[in-house]
Amino acid sequence: MSVTVSTYAGKIGWYARKYLPGMASDFYLKLQYLKRRKVSKKYIEYFCKCKETPQPLNFLIETVNRCNSTCEFCSANRNVESRPFCRMEWELFEKIINQIAEWDYAGYISLFANNEPFMDTRIIELHKYIRKKLPRAKIKVFTNGLLLTVEKFVEIAPFVDLFIINNYCEDMKLHRNVKELCDYLKMHPKIHENIDVQIKVRYIKEVLTNRAGTAPNKKAADKPIKEPCLFPYTDMVIFPDGVVGICCCDVTEITNLGDLNQETVQQVWAGKKAQKFRQQLRDGRNGHKFCAHCDFVDTGLRVNLIKGKRK
């Protein structure tokens, strides 16, 4: 087991995001676009030329569409949440996981898109079922850590490969319960040897991306964004009611590529709606109304997955 605690760009980056939020956001985006542009375009072309649609590299499944944090960059935070409450029925969850298992799936899967997964009280059983049905998958947990305890971590750890805690705060310090977990893990390094734990200290008021105009603290770009977007080719985002959205930037769940109550995972992923959407974004985001002014960018996971496929 490895445990790391990090802050993006250290203290300099922290204070830049705090006191120069617009400038920090613009610099970050330009840097990420530059780093990811070439590999993104290459994978998009590869994907579009395949006779058989390649599998998703990343599944994002919301089993409950609620979050308990107040992050100012997110329209799913508890102060501005506008979605009707929804929790995925167990039968639908089983159906989705069973269909993914038919692929002998070995990519990434998480119960997170715009939610706090620990707000679903079934979280241990959900991950246990995923591990049982998808033994080759890389199961990752994204959490803000507010509901986390050492006991909960010990329960879920046997079923998880990657555990990421985004410790959102204003003082660059770990929350008390996150600090307790961190201390516990460092004292017991051999108990959970097969899990990678990453604790990221993040500024709760920072400006990130506009997320297709949904971010509360950043407007959509004035001009259409021509940068490539990997999400339609790598990610399958599933809302709690079984509807498949175009990406995690659809916080209010208005897009629809298919309904898993009526179709299979495979049918939706390779379906006409999804294929049409990918063709619209093949040469840039300006090909689709929802995406045209969105500046969201992959933080690195998808690019690393693409590079891993080539090895």
Side-chain angles (χ1 to χ4, degrees):
M1 178 190 69
S2 64
V3 182
T4 58
V5 180
S6 63
T7 299
Y8 181 74
K11 288 186 177 180
I12 294 176
W14 176 275
Y15 288 118
R17 293 192 295 277
K18 187 171 184 177
Y19 297 111
L20 300 168
M23 186 181 298
S25 175
D26 290 343
F27 175 78
Y28 171 80
L29 287 174
K30 288 178 181 178
L31 178 62
Q32 300 308 320
Y33 290 149
L34 183 63
K35 290 170 62 177
R36 312 195 191 294
R37 185 179 299 137
K38 185 176 180 180
V39 67
S40 296
K41 287 183 176 180
K42 194 168 184 179
Y43 185 76
I44 291 170
E45 288 306 307
Y46 154 77
F47 189 103
C48 293
K49 290 178 180 178
C50 286
K51 292 182 179 180
E52 185 174 330
T53 306
Q55 291 182 9
L57 302 180
N58 192 37
F59 275 95
L60 304 178
I61 305 173
E62 277 196 348
T63 61
V64 60
N65 62 352
R66 282 294 180 273
C67 186
N68 56 344
S69 188
T70 58
C71 304
E72 294 189 3
F73 51 80
C74 180
S75 56
N77 83 62
R78 70 185 191 209
N79 292 332
V80 298
E81 176 62 73
S82 61
R83 298 174 291 181
F85 175 79
C86 186
R87 190 175 87 147
M88 184 175 287
E89 296 293 336
W90 182 266
E91 292 75 15
L92 177 59
F93 176 77
E94 282 187 331
K95 177 184 175 182
I96 291 169
I97 300 303
N98 291 346
Q99 289 173 1
I100 297 173
E102 293 175 4
W103 260 328
D104 189 26
Y105 188 68
Y108 276 82
I109 186 168
S110 63
L111 304 185
F112 167 82
N114 293 293
N115 61 316
E116 168 48 51
F118 277 89
M119 292 190 75
D120 192 328
T121 57
R122 307 167 298 176
I123 187 168
I124 307 300
E125 289 304 310
L126 292 166
H127 282 83
K128 185 177 181 180
Y129 191 80
I130 296 173
R131 177 52 70 208
K132 176 183 177 182
K133 293 294 182 176
L134 303 173
R136 298 180 62 227
K138 304 296 187 297
I139 303 175
K140 56 183 174 15
V141 172
F142 284 93
T143 175
N144 57 40
L146 296 177
L147 295 175
L148 198 57
T149 63
V150 171
E151 291 73 21
K152 287 181 180 179
F153 177 85
V154 170
E155 278 191 276
I156 202 171
F159 315 117
V160 176
D161 299 286
L162 176 61
F163 199 96
I164 298 176
I165 304 172
N166 284 315
N167 185 101
Y168 297 107
C169 58
E170 294 187 53
D171 55 7
M172 212 173 171
K173 296 180 181 178
L174 296 181
H175 300 309
R176 179 183 55 79
N177 60 316
V178 176
K179 177 69 164 55
E180 289 176 358
L181 176 60
C182 184
D183 292 342
Y184 164 81
L185 294 175
K186 289 180 178 180
M187 290 174 62
H188 304 85
K190 294 185 178 181
I191 293 180
H192 308 291
E193 292 184 314
N194 298 320
I195 186 170
D196 178 16
V197 181
Q198 299 177 13
I199 303 173
K200 301 178 185 295
V201 184
R202 300 184 58 179
Y203 184 46
I204 197 168
K205 296 182 178 181
E206 70 179 304
V207 175
L208 293 172
T209 66
N210 65 51
R211 306 199 68 184
T214 67
N217 65 357
K218 188 177 185 182
K219 296 180 180 179
D222 294 329
K223 297 180 180 180
I225 304 291
K226 296 182 180 180
E227 291 292 334
C229 181
L230 277 173
F231 283 59
Y233 311 91
T234 59
D235 288 31
M236 190 168 192
V237 179
I238 304 171
F239 303 136
D241 60 359
V243 171
V244 177
I246 61 174
C247 77
C248 60
C249 290
D250 181 14
V251 184
T252 53
E253 303 173 15
I254 61 173
T255 63
N256 185 330
L257 294 179
D259 185 347
L260 297 179
N261 293 285
Q262 309 296 330
E263 305 167 85
T264 67
V265 168
Q266 289 83 353
Q267 287 171 341
V268 174
W269 179 249
K272 291 182 179 179
K273 284 186 178 180
Q275 299 290 29
K276 180 180 178 181
F277 175 57
R278 295 184 188 114
Q279 286 298 325
Q280 290 172 326
L281 264 68
R282 187 170 181 173
D283 297 319
R285 306 178 193 209
N286 51 325
H288 192 277
K289 183 178 180 181
F290 184 87
C291 309
H293 299 273
C294 178
D295 62 359
F296 200 68
V297 64
D298 170 45
T299 55
L301 170 68
R302 293 151 192 87
V303 167
N304 290 335
L305 287 175
I306 291 168
K307 290 178 178 178
K309 284 176 69 67
R310 293 178 182 171
K311 291 180 180 180

